[in-house]
Amino acid sequence: MKSINSKGIKAAITAVSGYVPSDVLSNTDLEKMVDTNDEWIVTRTGIKERRIARNPLEPTSFLAIQAAKQLLEKKNLDPSTIDLVIVATATPDMQVVATAAYVATQIGAHNAFGFDLQAACSGFLYGMSTAASYIESGRYKKVLLIGADKMSSIVDYTDRATCIIFGDGAGAVLFEPSENEYGFEDSYLRSDGSGRDFLAIKSGGSLYPFDENTYEEGGHNIKQDGQTVFKNAVKNMADAAEKLMTQNDLTGDQIAYLLPHQANKRIIDATARRINLPEDRVLMNIEKYGNTTAATLPLLISDFESKFSKGDKLVFAAFGAGFTWGAVYLTWNYDYNN
Ligand code: UT7
């Protein structure tokens, strides 16, 4: 729904940063681990390599903190002025406690509250809508939204249906009241809970708590029916982008860039085709990071920040476990060099 704000406050992204671990896991490395090959992975997914946080002392919070600290430095921002920290993640440090609370404390955001947002690969997309709503309410001035996932902590590196896709990373954006007419414009968000049978970690929740068998069965690892996920992703990501554009009277030639969730290049290409966007206006970094789940969108913004100009119309689209999916439309708020 298009947000109509009686207070006249518009929310905008005013800073961005990204962090990926330095260790690279290439397709050639994976050839030595499972029955696969570089040519298959590149043709079927577009991924050449991904980053892995091999150090067990570097969980999701570590990735999130690195991204957040970079943002604070870049923006010269006093962390005590932050009102809220949201961490979108499917791989929280621990069950029950919010990773965001720990991240907020570690970066010195002592006046903030923090919570996690779990919508898997759509987490950051949903998070943009959530963060914008807090700003639009007029009650909060600075919301730090982080997408962070240590997918290597839940991937079974003998399962070629998942290990070739996922990587680790984090990205952070700051939402503030816009000082011009640009910022968060609209969203189209959906979910379908019947999708949980096709992409999930089965054990460890209240439905199938860990027991003596769950580890043996690999219930602690992420599993997917790749083809079912793929078909739903192609349909729903493209549908969401198209519907969002229709409800905002937007045509492909008005869009500066599409920033799609980076799960598979073929899903991205299908979405771009549906909204008539040529390749040079579709942003991708999947070849170097793979699918970093909630981190793909902020890492895209961070990698391509220098390309954006004030007023550029950007469309984001994502699809993930749940199933969850949707699209967000925002007009970019600042010029890179100012
Ligand atoms: O963000 C949301 C999270 N996940 C996704 O969005 C993932 C969505 N799914 C996908 O990206 C794709 O389904 C995969 C990349 C996981 C798999 O690609 P696919 O084109 O759907 O492969 P497939 O499962 O249909 O298998 C095609 C063939 C099969 O061989 P045959 O039966 O045609 O001889 C598989 O055995 O490719 C084989 N195969 C592989 N070969 C080499 C499947 N996985 C691999 C592999 N390496 N890793």
Side-chain angles (χ1 to χ4, degrees):
M1 282 296 293
K2 199 159 191 162
S3 54
I4 298 161
N5 182 356
S6 58
K7 297 189 172 70
I9 303 168
K10 192 160 193 159
I13 292 176
T14 58
V16 60
S17 65
Y19 172 81
V20 288
S22 55
D23 267 342
V24 171
L25 181 68
S26 69
N27 290 350
T28 324
D29 295 330
L30 285 166
E31 284 178 7
K32 295 173 200 137
M33 298 158 71
V34 287
D35 180 15
T36 192
N37 59 78
D38 175 59
E39 202 249 323
W40 191 95
I41 301 174
V42 172
T43 322
R44 295 294 182 119
T45 70
I47 302 167
K48 292 183 180 152
E49 58 187 43
R50 61 290 293 136
R51 300 301 183 90
I52 304 292
R54 291 185 198 273
N55 185 342
L57 298 177
E58 295 182 355
T60 294
S61 63
F62 175 86
L63 309 176
I65 289 165
Q66 305 315 304
K69 281 185 174 168
Q70 273 182 38
L71 184 144
L72 294 175
E73 201 173 310
K74 198 167 152 188
K75 180 89 176 155
N76 196 18
L77 183 72
D78 173 358
S80 69
T81 63
I82 296 172
D83 301 304
L84 165 60
V85 176
I86 303 172
V87 175
T89 186
T91 53
D93 281 12
M94 296 177 194
Q95 292 273 21
V96 181
V97 286
T99 300
Y102 183 72
V103 171
T105 299
Q106 291 298 310
I107 63 169
H110 301 300
N111 295 315
F113 69 108
F115 63 83
D116 291 358
L117 196 159
Q118 187 0 355
C121 295
S122 306
F124 187 84
L125 190 90
Y126 282 18
M128 285 200 284
S129 172
T130 308
S133 302
Y134 273 105
I135 297 291
E136 288 162 2
S137 77
R139 289 170 62 200
Y140 303 97
K141 298 270 183 290
K142 287 183 173 33
V143 178
L144 185 64
L145 170 64
I146 304 171
D149 269 301
K150 180 166 176 166
M151 295 306 289
S152 62
S153 67
I154 56 167
V155 163
D156 171 1
Y157 283 95
T158 65
D159 174 11
R160 69 179 185 174
T162 50
C163 74
I164 58 151
I165 295 173
F166 293 109
D168 301 341
V173 299
L174 184 69
F175 272 90
E176 292 183 280
S178 175
E179 291 181 350
N180 50 41
E181 71 262 43
Y182 304 122
F184 187 94
E185 303 288 350
D186 199 10
S187 63
Y188 176 92
L189 307 176
R190 291 291 184 273
S191 62
D192 173 5
S194 64
R196 73 180 186 173
D197 293 338
F198 306 105
L199 175 57
I201 295 180
K202 199 170 159 194
S203 304
S206 57
L207 178 58
Y208 302 112
F210 288 128
D211 64 22
E212 60 279 14
N213 299 317
T214 50
Y215 187 76
E216 285 286 299
E217 290 160 359
H220 55 293
N221 287 316
I222 187 163
K223 296 227 165 34
Q224 72 166 343
D225 169 350
Q227 280 186 8
T228 303
V229 177
F230 183 88
K231 278 182 208 145
N232 280 277
V234 165
K235 179 180 184 310
N236 289 316
M237 242 169 85
D239 275 0
E242 194 176 52
K243 288 197 168 108
L244 180 75
M245 286 171 63
T246 306
Q247 76 194 25
N248 287 280
D249 296 323
L250 285 172
T251 53
D253 55 332
Q254 294 173 306
I255 305 298
Y257 298 105
L258 170 70
L259 290 88
H261 171 53
Q262 310 281 295
N264 186 317
K265 185 174 183 302
R266 289 183 293 144
I267 301 173
I268 296 170
D269 290 344
T271 306
R273 270 197 304 275
R274 179 84 79 83
I275 59 170
N276 294 320
L277 272 201
E279 232 173 61
D280 61 341
R281 284 192 279 137
V282 180
L283 301 185
M284 267 189 257
N285 54 15
I286 190 170
E287 68 287 351
K288 49 182 188 166
Y289 306 142
N291 181 353
T292 55
T293 303
T296 62
L297 295 184
L299 281 172
L300 266 188
I301 310 175
S302 172
D303 279 5
F304 292 99
E305 183 191 14
S306 62
K307 279 174 96 81
F308 304 150
S309 305
K310 198 189 281 185
D312 274 355
K313 293 176 168 51
L314 307 181
V315 170
F316 298 77
F319 179 88
F323 294 136
T324 54
W325 70 94
V328 157
Y329 163 40
L330 65 80
T331 43
W332 191 245
N333 187 257
Y334 59 93
D335 287 321
Y336 184 64
N337 291 316
N338 291 346

